[in-house]
Amino acid sequence: MTRLIHLSDRMPQVAWGAASWSPEDMVHLASCAECRAEWRVVELGATIGADLTDRMDLAGIAARVVADRARRAPVPKAHSFRRASWVVATAAAAALLIMMARPTSAPESAPAVALLPELEGMSAEELELVLDVLPAADGWTVPGTNLGDLDDGELERVLRTLEG
Amino acid sequence: MGHESDQALVTAYRAGDEQAAGELVQRHGAALGRYLYSSGAPAGEIDDLVQETFFRAFRALDAWRGDAAFRSWLFRIGGNLRKDLYRKEGGRRVVSIVETDAVDHADPEGQVIAHDQAARIRIGITQLPRLQREVFLLRVQEGLRYDEIARSLGTTAGAARVHYHHAVQRLKGLLT
């Protein structure tokens, strides 16, 4: 019985190549069908899928796992993002002010109104350009207002006024 | 980085070191693949299963408290994933008899017997109760001692030994 337990405990190590059978072990294995069967089970269990690992794309998996992490990482609020938000707000305010300040006699096909839905898709540089161009588009300006010179607080007040 | 412990790599990963994640995949991916294959997953799906297991593991890393081996924790996630997929398919998945091994033409008869036995053992492993299967695979494929298995699976060394004994007895019956 002791020999059986001894052999049983050593089988995984021998299957792994971390140990080997002693001459006494081999004599016992040759004469004991139960131990031979157990050894066969362990031997087969230890080798199942052993050749599979050569065909696994571990480097590819590692790269995709790293990419998944990067994709899920929270996006920090970049300064440029905040700046672009203000440019969008500024451009929207400019367009609205132009609409409100437009004389009733102005032609119905004013370009500023048509620009509003497009503002969201513009880059910061494009919006800056809009700020430069809008007041002069129809050859008139917003009285007493130069939006490009306003600071953040002033622009916020303009927006609040427009939103009522 | 290759000599760092799993715990150190996980800590580095949590701190934003992306290479630590890659190192953990390289370190445990192959063993995880073998475990999933031995548990009945088809060879052609191993890469996808391993990848998804790591996705889930890294997304839920806070759940790993470090008291069990990282590899065993991965095995548990992968095993649950495989089980979920099996359930979704209505339990109809069939384990292929021999998916990977080539026949040795020098001893075709011996190889056929060996393949037959290997196939029976593999199918038998997939049909073992979960704890018996996990203990058996951790012991024969990972070379873990009973106390290490017990820590990994949250049981006792004595219970692990009993599970292993029952698993071997069942599998022995498949060889005759």
Side-chain angles (χ1 to χ4, degrees), chain A residues 62-156:
Chain A
R64 286 187 287 277
V65 167
V66 169
D68 180 67
R69 174 199 155 84
R71 197 165 50 241
R72 288 173 173 274
V75 178
K77 273 196 166 180
H79 176 70
S80 59
F81 178 77
R82 286 197 299 272
R83 184 172 171 273
S85 300
W86 273 110
V87 173
V88 170
T90 304
L96 286 169
L97 282 172
I98 290 166
M99 288 167 58
M100 292 173 70
R102 182 185 301 279
T104 49
S105 60
E108 287 300 314
S109 59
V113 176
L115 274 171
L116 274 174
E118 311 300 326
L119 293 175
E120 287 290 339
M122 290 182 176
S123 69
E125 288 72 19
E126 288 169 333
L127 288 166
E128 296 272 19
L129 196 63
V130 169
L131 276 178
D132 292 341
V133 171
L134 266 179
D138 276 345
W140 55 272
T141 57
V142 181
T145 309
N146 186 353
L147 291 168
D149 293 336
L150 298 181
D151 63 23
D152 289 354
E154 290 166 337
L155 278 170
E156 205 164 26

Side-chain angles (χ1 to χ4, degrees), chain B residues 10-38:
Chain B
V10 167
T11 302
Y13 172 80
R14 281 175 171 146
D17 180 358
E18 293 179 351
Q19 292 312 309
E23 174 69 19
L24 285 165
V25 172
Q26 295 283 354
R27 185 178 290 185
H28 300 295
L32 176 61
R34 283 192 69 192
Y35 174 78
L36 292 170
Y37 177 73
S38 302

Side-chain angles (χ1 to χ4, degrees), chain B residues 133-150:
Chain B
R133 181 175 60 245
E134 290 184 357
V135 170
F136 178 79
L137 291 176
L138 287 174
R139 184 139 172 80
V140 304
Q141 290 196 346
E142 297 299 308
L144 297 189
R145 298 188 313 266
Y146 288 121
D147 60 322
E148 293 171 321
I149 294 171

Side-chain angles (χ1 to χ4, degrees), chain B residues 68-133:
Chain B
F70 186 73
R71 180 172 289 191
S72 305
W73 187 65
L74 282 176
F75 283 11
R76 179 60 57 86
I77 294 171
N80 287 337
L81 180 63
R82 187 197 61 78
K83 204 163 53 187
D84 289 347
L85 292 176
Y86 180 77
R87 280 202 195 114
K88 278 182 189 164
E89 293 174 0
R92 289 188 297 275
R93 174 152 294 182
V94 176
V95 177
S96 167
I97 296 299
V98 177
E99 287 183 309
T100 59
D101 299 331
V103 173
D104 179 355
H105 295 288
D107 181 15
E109 190 181 349
Q111 281 298 305
V112 168
I113 293 170
H115 280 222
D116 179 53
Q117 287 185 337
R120 284 195 231 170
I121 292 299
R122 181 169 174 238
I123 292 170
I125 290 170
T126 69
Q127 294 171 343
L128 289 173
R130 183 181 61 82
L131 270 173
Q132 287 184 26
R133 181 175 60 245

